[in-house]
Amino acid sequence: PKSMSEPGEEIVPARRAGPPRITFDLLARLHVDPETLKGDHDRIVTALLRVSHVRLTNIGFRELDNLECLGRVTHLYLQRNALESLAGIEVLPDLRVLDASANKLTDVADIMLLRKLQWLDLSDNALPALPAMPASVVFARLRGNPCAQAPDYRTVTEAQNPSLKQLDDAWLGDDDDDD
C-alpha cells in the first residue's frame, strides 16, 4: 500500500499486521443496532453498557482486550478463536455463562475471579490439567482437552468441584439408573 499519493489517487491505509483484536468498534458493530451506530459516541457507549449477551465467535483473535467497554455482561460466547488464555476476563464480574470452546486455551486461571459463573464450556482446547473452577459453577464441559483423558478425570473433577451437577453433559452424583 502507498503511504503517499499522486493527485487524484486514493490513499490506502496500511493494514495492521497480526491477528484480529477486540476493539470498541468491533464490539459496537456486532452488538449495537445500526440506528444507534449513526448517533454520537455517547449513545454508542451507553448502548454497549446495556449489552448482556456478547458473541465473539469465529473471529480468530488470540487475546481478550477492551472488554471493559462492556457493562453487565452475563453471557459471553468466544468459540472457535485462537485464545490461549482468558486473561482480562475479570472485567466481567457478572458473567454467568462462558463458552470458550474450540480455542487453544492452556491457561484459564482467571475464571476463578468470576464468582457468579454457573455454566462453563472449555471443551476442545489444550488444557493440560484440570482447571480450578469457581464454586458457583454447576455445569461444565471439559471434554476434548488433554486433562479429560486421565482415567480418574470425572471422579477428580467432581471431588474438586462439589457444586458441579453436570460434567460433559452427564449428570454427576446420581448413581441411580432408575430415571
Side-chain angles (χ1 to χ4, degrees):
K2 294 181 179 184
S3 57
M4 306 268 307
S5 66
E6 300 293 324
E9 287 185 34
E10 182 179 341
I11 298 175
V12 179
R15 295 193 76 195
R16 184 175 177 189
R21 297 183 60 96
I22 301 171
T23 63
F24 177 85
D25 289 339
L26 174 68
L27 291 168
R29 259 193 341 269
L30 293 175
H31 297 94
V32 175
D33 68 87
E35 197 59 37
T36 302
L37 285 175
K38 294 177 186 175
D40 66 12
H41 183 75
D42 289 343
R43 282 184 59 201
I44 297 169
V45 169
T46 300
L48 268 180
L49 290 173
R50 289 186 183 135
V51 172
S52 64
H53 292 57
V54 173
R55 295 186 185 281
L56 297 169
T57 60
N58 206 25
I59 296 171
F61 57 86
R62 293 185 184 159
E63 59 188 45
L64 298 178
D65 49 327
N66 292 315
L67 296 180
E68 64 276 358
C69 297
L70 301 166
R72 299 183 66 114
V73 173
T74 58
H75 294 64
L76 180 60
Y77 301 94
L78 302 169
Q79 307 97 302
R80 294 178 307 279
N81 284 292
L83 292 170
E84 295 177 7
S85 164
L86 292 176
I89 201 150
E90 69 278 357
V91 300
L92 302 175
D94 294 313
L95 213 54
R96 287 183 171 78
V97 172
L98 173 60
D99 187 341
S101 60
N103 279 282
K104 298 176 181 181
L105 292 170
T106 57
D107 175 19
V108 294
D110 292 304
I111 65 171
M112 287 302 292
L113 302 170
L114 303 175
R115 303 285 183 209
K116 296 180 182 179
L117 191 64
Q118 297 173 339
W119 192 89
L120 176 64
D121 190 344
L122 298 174
S123 60
D124 300 316
N125 276 288
L127 296 171
L130 287 174
M133 292 184 256
S136 56
V137 173
V138 179
F139 304 99
R141 289 185 181 144
L142 300 173
R143 66 175 166 243
N145 282 286
C147 66
Q149 301 306 312
D152 57 351
Y153 156 70
R154 293 186 66 76
T155 306
V156 170
T157 303
E158 185 175 9
Q160 290 178 352
N161 302 283
S163 62
L164 199 59
K165 303 289 183 221
Q166 195 178 77
L167 177 62
D168 297 333
D169 300 317
W171 293 100
L172 297 173
D174 185 11
D175 295 331
D176 297 333
D177 292 331
D178 299 335
D179 295 338

